[in-house]
Amino acid sequence: MSNARPALSRRGLLATGGALGLGAVLAACGDDDAKSGGSDGGASAASGPWTFKDDRGQTVKADKTPANIVAFVGMAAALYDYGVQAKGVFGPTTTKDGKADVQAGDMDLSKLTVLGNEWGQFNIEKYASLGPDVLISTMFDDAGTLWYVPEESKKKIEAVGAPSVGISVYDRQLTEPLQRMLALAESLGADTGSSKVTDAKKRFEEAAGRLRAAAKAKPDIKVLAGSASQDLFYVSGSNLSIDLEYFKALGVNFIEPPEKAKAQGGGWYESLSWENVDKYAADIIMMDNRTSAIQPADITKATWQKLPAVKAGQVISRNPEPILSYDKCVAPLNDLAEAIENAKKVS
């Protein structure tokens, strides 16, 4: 995570919960091509022409189903869950100790070419060497900006010749991008009617029902979505983020910073100094678990440790950039449902 300034820094954007502050910073990201490697776990590339209409309204066409796929790491992780193996990835893939980043899901990193592990990194030579058939990423704005594709490298990436696909994760509920990813995976050869996929969707729906019931049973439990950096604490609004919008629709009682307070964060979040971290009284705190954020166990600020929810042990993790497969979205629903079911009113 990192500091957020009026003209959001790129790290400030990352610090805001995945989509926080994208408006200003996303202009520093571009969009473009990709490629992926074959299929895995049941996906079989169909023969004949391939087309897919993405969330920019652009219809991508190819003579055959893309085999060499390059994707933002979270998108590649979702495709992997559907049996589609990417060849190259970009974005947070490994941690400093070489382990898989939370956004890498269950992928075997040894089978991937990593084009860049941090914001602004995208090795075009490696990208071209993969012979990409398509480049896939998410979009955190309504301008069609592909997440983690550097704007300054956009023309060179486009020159490689692979078309791009963008799936929007901006200002909509989680179920919509989940459906879009399923459709994309199917177009790339995934067997979306397999028991693995249908079972995962069933578990997702059951978990959603559990969260709805928990929220209904304890409507007074207030939940705060936060993210920590060295100098600032970010309070995410429940609008714009796909997971929070969906949880709110299921009845979760979120603390919502006023629009004026979120203005500096592009409408995504409010920035608080650690001295003011107690501005909102919460019963449960959901904390950003991405490697760009400081984790709760490493927060030494006395003001944090005095928060009622922290003292009560009512802090859970949250990935502001959920991996868009039904399988990976079951746990966040169940984790929040369990937290609400067991929560004590401390605010």
Side-chain angles (χ1 to χ4, degrees):
M1 289 316 261
S2 104
N3 326 355
R5 303 179 179 83
L8 295 175
S9 69
R10 288 184 288 189
R11 280 185 59 80
L13 166 61
L14 293 174
T16 63
L20 313 167
L22 290 161
V25 171
L26 266 183
C29 252
D31 99 277
D32 256 286
D33 337 19
K35 114 181 194 176
S36 159
S39 43
D40 177 85
S44 57
S47 60
W50 174 80
T51 64
F52 184 81
K53 186 174 183 179
D54 75 359
D55 290 344
R56 297 170 295 186
Q58 299 180 10
T59 299
V60 184
K61 300 180 180 180
D63 293 337
K64 61 180 181 179
T65 302
N68 292 339
I69 300 168
V70 172
F72 173 69
V73 60
M75 300 292 272
L79 290 174
Y80 181 86
D81 284 351
Y82 291 124
V84 178
Q85 175 71 55
K87 196 169 187 179
V89 297
F90 53 94
T93 306
T94 59
T95 58
K96 291 181 179 179
D97 58 5
K99 296 181 180 179
D101 189 275
V102 65
Q103 297 193 65
D106 296 330
M107 291 189 295
D108 182 348
L109 302 188
S110 68
K111 295 182 178 180
L112 297 170
T113 296
V114 181
L115 306 180
N117 199 57
E118 298 179 5
W119 183 269
Q121 295 180 350
F122 193 108
N123 190 311
I124 300 174
E125 290 184 1
K126 282 187 178 181
Y127 175 62
S129 72
L130 293 174
D133 295 323
V134 66
L135 183 151
I136 301 170
S137 191
T138 49
M139 301 182 298
F140 280 96
D141 62 12
D142 56 9
T145 308
L146 295 188
W147 190 225
Y148 264 83
V149 179
E151 177 65 23
E152 60 270 22
S153 305
K154 179 179 178 179
K155 291 184 179 180
K156 291 182 179 179
I157 294 171
E158 289 177 340
V160 174
S164 62
V165 169
I167 299 296
S168 180
V169 290
Y170 175 72
D171 193 17
R172 61 203 62 207
Q173 293 182 26
L174 176 61
T175 46
E176 184 174 341
L178 276 174
Q179 292 166 357
R180 295 292 290 139
M181 277 302 297
L182 185 66
L184 176 59
E186 183 174 30
S187 80
L188 293 170
D191 180 5
T192 57
S194 68
S195 59
K196 178 181 179 181
V197 174
T198 57
D199 287 351
K201 190 171 183 180
K202 181 180 179 181
R203 288 187 286 110
F204 174 84
E205 292 168 348
E206 291 172 344
R210 179 184 178 185
L211 180 55
R212 182 185 291 108
K216 184 177 181 179
K218 290 188 173 182
D220 59 335
I221 293 297
K222 293 185 291 185
V223 180
L224 181 148
S227 187
S229 71
Q230 185 62 40
D231 300 318
L232 295 171
F233 182 80
Y234 306 93
V235 179
S236 299
S238 59
N239 295 322
L240 303 184
S241 297
I242 56 174
D243 60 334
L244 302 185
E245 283 204 10
Y246 184 51
F247 300 160
K248 179 173 65 176
L250 293 175
V252 176
N253 181 8
F254 280 107
I255 288 171
E256 183 70 49
E259 292 302 318
K260 185 176 181 180
K262 294 187 294 182
Q264 185 180 31
W268 293 87
Y269 63 93
E270 177 181 4
S271 302
L272 298 175
S273 66
W274 283 102
E275 289 75 17
N276 295 317
V277 74
D278 60 354
K279 178 177 179 179
Y280 300 106
D283 301 298
I284 296 172
I285 301 176
M286 304 174 68
M287 289 294 289
D288 186 347
N289 69 355
R290 295 171 303 167
T291 51
S292 56
I294 297 176
Q295 299 306 300
D298 299 319
I299 300 175
T300 59
K301 306 289 186 180
T303 48
W304 163 263
Q305 295 175 351
K306 291 179 181 178
L307 294 177
V310 175
K311 293 172 68 175
Q314 296 178 174
V315 178
I316 64 174
S317 66
R318 170 199 173 219
N319 183 351
E321 296 180 67
I323 294 173
L324 297 174
S325 71
Y326 285 101
D327 178 71
K328 290 298 182 293
C329 289
V330 172
L333 286 162
N334 279 328
D335 290 347
L336 182 52
E338 181 178 11
I340 293 175
E341 290 165 353
N342 297 330
K344 296 178 181 178
K345 184 67 180 173
V346 295
S347 63

